[in-house]
Amino acid sequence: MEPPPHSPYLPNQREENVPLSPQPSGSPSAAADGEIQRKMSSLLDRAATLLHPEKKIGPPPSVWRSIRAIILSSYLNVLLVFIPISWVLNFATPDQYTLIFVFAFLAIIPLAKLLAFATDELSLRVGQTLAGLLNATLGNAVELIVSIIALTKCELDIVQSSLLGSILSNLLLVLGMCFFAGGLRFSEQGFGTSAVQLNSSLLTISVIAVLLPGAFLMALQDQSGFNQDTVYQEILKMSRGVAIILLFIYASYLTFQLFSHKSLYQDEGDGIQVSKGYVGRNPFSGNPLASNIRRRLRSSKQPQTPDPITQSVLVTSPEVDRVHFADGTITSTSHSDPHSDPETVQQLELEQVEEPQMSVMVALSLLVAVTVLVGITAEFLVDSINGMTETAGIPKEFVGVILLPIVGNAAEHVTAVTVSVKDKLTLSLGVAVGSSIQIALFVIPFIVTLAWVMNKPLTLLFDPFQSIVLFLSVLTVNYVVQDGKSNWLEGMILMCLYLILCVTFWYYPGTTPVLQC
């Protein structure tokens, strides 16, 4: 009996899958559907990477262990005792402005550190991109809170002075301390020139935005039909328009840094110059490891071409060690085997497990609690400024430009200096210069836009002397970082320039904002 016509037993017969809606293969609609599916799959994969961390996360600790980690997170937590003291002084002796300012000032410093600690713990649970966005958003939360409180109290000069002082503090004091601290262990430290030059361009744009309103006013003052009120209103409108453009630039900068060009902001790459150790003995501090290796080399008979792993080691970095030699070369080794190949090192890095110090709920609770405490304490701080400047004889410009930025930048000081000593200067520049860019391109235009919503006449017309100081500081930093290398002398120069500004602002009386609430 012969099989049926469509039986699979018939030789040389092909099966055909007939679609429900038959279309010719290779049709434009089929190709378009495939392209849409590929794009949707790419978007879903990219969205998934935002929430999944690169390294494995260990089990969350208990509530008690989380609280214990908060208490032992920093020595600055000792200053938390000043929070109730400042509150009691504010309500019990409201006329003691100097004491209220001092204790509120000391109380906000550990709160800023705890805010950074909670942000870092939350960043462990998400991908690198979202972690960078989270750190960028909450990095200057203290400065933002202080500025908002001062804005609600119509202290427009305090708002402008504190924000400009934060930029100066990050560019001169923090960056100078990073260069100086790293220079005590390395003869020269290298960093990514591409990212630094781009950051310098962004800072220059922000300086131009600050200088343009002053130039606008100077250009119209000598005209015969000059009307002060009309010109100030035009400057107010111009400032609001420029603020929106600066916010767009900052959004583009975040996209560039966190998505399209993440490799430029890493500590390893072709554009980063190799750090060099001191030839011979370090003149600042002797390295016991280097001394022991040199002593063993002299006591034993070594061949003329010694093993590069044991040749005059100067310093090693934590985790996967980056070993620096006297001739400027660099190699990477692991803790277990100094002769590990790069593939083994990369595999060890991928197998590392991040151990969280807090659970997610404790971290979120800490973030909310610290934000509330900073808001209340900062309100007492701002309320005491006018009384302190009148009774204690401290200039208001000095308080706004010098003292208030120290409160918000205390945590960044410690982080930037610590990583610079570990030969991660690109990360230090990201903390110092990146924080300045965030203030210049996000916090300042955001506060101007918020003042617009609150009907407060805050403009980009800063004090003329402050604007010139900002311009000269950015120009100096551009000259210092343009070669992609740093040493301890460059750090000392930046710190001394900041001290010069401190002395100058102590004697500078300041000017009154052109527009008042």
Side-chain angles (χ1 to χ4, degrees):
M1 183 178 64
E2 296 182 357
H6 297 288
S7 173
Y9 299 104
L10 280 175
N12 301 327
Q13 184 180 11
R14 294 180 301 175
E15 284 188 280
E16 294 184 0
N17 296 324
V18 181
L20 297 178
S21 300
Q23 293 180 355
S25 60
S27 63
S29 59
D33 293 341
E35 184 67 21
I36 292 174
Q37 292 179 358
R38 285 192 296 270
K39 289 183 178 180
M40 291 296 297
S41 177
S42 177
L43 290 175
L44 292 176
D45 292 340
R46 182 174 297 180
T49 57
L50 297 178
L51 298 177
H52 293 287
E54 294 184 349
K55 297 181 180 179
K56 295 181 180 179
I57 304 298
S62 61
V63 176
W64 166 245
R65 289 183 58 190
S66 300
I67 297 175
R68 184 174 180 271
I70 295 173
I71 297 174
L72 301 178
S73 61
S74 174
Y75 292 107
L76 294 176
N77 289 339
V78 178
L79 300 178
L80 291 173
V81 69
F82 294 118
I83 296 178
I85 294 177
S86 63
W87 291 19
V88 169
L89 289 175
N90 181 78
F91 293 108
T93 57
D95 55 341
Q96 298 295 326
Y97 302 107
T98 303
L99 289 178
I100 296 174
F101 179 87
V102 171
F103 285 109
F105 179 88
L106 295 175
I108 293 180
I109 293 177
L111 292 176
K113 182 64 177 177
L114 289 177
L115 190 64
F117 180 58
T119 304
D120 293 338
E121 285 296 313
L122 291 177
S123 300
L124 293 178
R125 273 76 174 189
V126 296
Q128 183 180 4
T129 301
L130 191 57
L133 182 60
L134 185 64
N135 286 309
T137 304
L138 300 177
N140 291 299
V142 176
E143 291 94 333
L144 188 61
I145 294 172
V146 173
S147 299
I148 292 175
I149 292 175
L151 180 63
T152 57
K153 298 180 179 299
C154 287
E155 297 287 348
L156 303 183
D157 50 348
I158 293 295
V159 175
Q160 293 181 332
S161 299
S162 62
L163 293 179
L164 186 138
S166 297
I167 299 176
L168 296 176
S169 175
N170 283 296
L171 286 181
L172 300 179
L173 182 60
V174 179
L175 190 60
M177 291 179 65
C178 293
F179 287 171
F180 184 80
L184 296 181
R185 299 192 66 183
F186 299 92
S187 175
E188 284 184 352
Q189 283 187 288
F191 47 85
T193 55
S194 300
V196 170
Q197 292 299 326
L198 176 63
N199 292 342
S200 300
S201 301
L202 293 173
L203 285 175
T204 304
I205 291 174
S206 62
V207 172
I208 292 174
V210 171
L211 293 178
L212 282 179
F216 184 88
L217 179 62
M218 291 178 60
L220 297 178
Q221 277 182 341
D222 297 334
Q223 295 185 1
S224 57
F226 175 75
N227 189 334
Q228 181 175 350
D229 296 335
T230 304
V231 172
Y232 286 164
Q233 290 299 323
E234 295 296 329
I235 291 177
L236 180 60
K237 296 177 182 178
M238 179 183 67
S239 300
R240 292 167 177 172
V242 173
I244 295 176
I245 298 175
L246 291 179
L247 290 175
F248 174 76
I249 295 175
Y250 181 71
S252 303
Y253 164 69
L254 287 182
T255 304
F256 182 88
Q257 181 185 18
L258 303 178
F259 291 94
S260 63
H261 291 72
K262 293 188 294 185
S263 60
L264 294 179
Y265 297 88
Q266 298 177 356
D267 282 305
E268 296 179 358
D270 298 333
I272 300 178
Q273 302 190 33
V274 178
S275 300
K276 298 180 181 179
Y278 284 96
V279 178
R281 182 179 176 83
N282 189 330
F284 296 101
S285 61
N287 193 323
L289 178 61
S291 301
N292 292 334
I293 292 178
R294 293 193 193 96
R295 188 161 47 250
R296 291 179 181 178
L297 288 175
R298 287 195 299 266
S299 60
S300 61
K301 294 181 180 180
Q302 295 289 342
Q304 295 182 354
T305 58
D307 187 359
I309 299 298
T310 60
Q311 178 189 4
S312 183
V313 180
L314 292 180
V315 69
T316 57
S317 298
E319 297 179 359
V320 177
D321 292 341
R322 304 175 65 193
V323 184
H324 301 264
F325 303 106
D327 58 354
T329 58
I330 182 173
T331 185
S332 297
T333 63
S334 66
H335 290 291
S336 58
D337 184 10
H339 299 279
S340 299
D341 56 347
E343 295 181 358
T344 305
V345 173
Q346 184 178 7
Q347 183 178 2
L348 289 174
E349 290 179 347
L350 293 177
E351 293 177 354
Q352 289 179 354
V353 178
E354 292 284 354
E355 293 294 339
Q357 301 185 50
M358 290 188 297
S359 62
V360 176
M361 292 304 300
V362 174
L364 290 174
S365 302
L366 177 63
L367 193 66
V368 174
V370 170
T371 304
V372 174
L373 291 176
V374 169
I376 298 174
T377 310
E379 184 176 2
F380 300 156
L381 181 74
V382 174
D383 288 338
S384 63
I385 290 178
N386 290 327
M388 184 192 66
T389 54
E390 294 176 358
T391 58
I394 301 177
K396 198 172 184 178
E397 290 292 315
F398 183 84
V399 174
V401 178
I402 304 300
L403 294 183
L404 290 182
I406 295 178
V407 175
N409 295 333
E412 296 170 357
H413 287 194
V414 178
T415 302
V417 174
T418 301
V419 298
S420 67
V421 175
K422 298 178 180 179
D423 195 23
K424 297 182 179 180
L425 197 58
T426 302
L427 180 58
S428 297
L429 288 169
V431 174
V433 182
S435 180
S436 301
I437 292 175
Q438 186 187 29
I439 295 173
L441 296 180
F442 173 70
V443 178
I444 292 179
F446 175 78
I447 291 296
V448 172
T449 307
L450 182 63
W452 185 8
V453 175
M454 299 172 60
N455 198 22
K456 306 288 186 181
L458 181 65
T459 68
L460 293 176
L461 182 61
F462 283 70
D463 183 281
F465 181 74
Q466 294 180 7
S467 302
I468 295 174
V469 167
L470 178 62
F471 169 74
L472 295 177
S473 300
V474 172
L475 187 65
T476 303
V477 172
N478 287 343
Y479 279 122
V480 169
V481 302
Q482 67 181 353
D483 59 347
K485 298 180 293 184
S486 69
N487 51 63
W488 67 267
L489 181 60
E490 292 179 344
M492 189 184 68
I493 290 173
L494 294 178
M495 290 189 295
C496 290
L497 178 57
Y498 188 76
L499 293 178
I500 292 174
L501 297 183
C502 293
V503 175
T504 304
F505 279 107
W506 179 267
Y507 295 101
Y508 181 64
T511 59
T512 305
V514 295
L515 294 176
Q516 298 291 335
C517 295

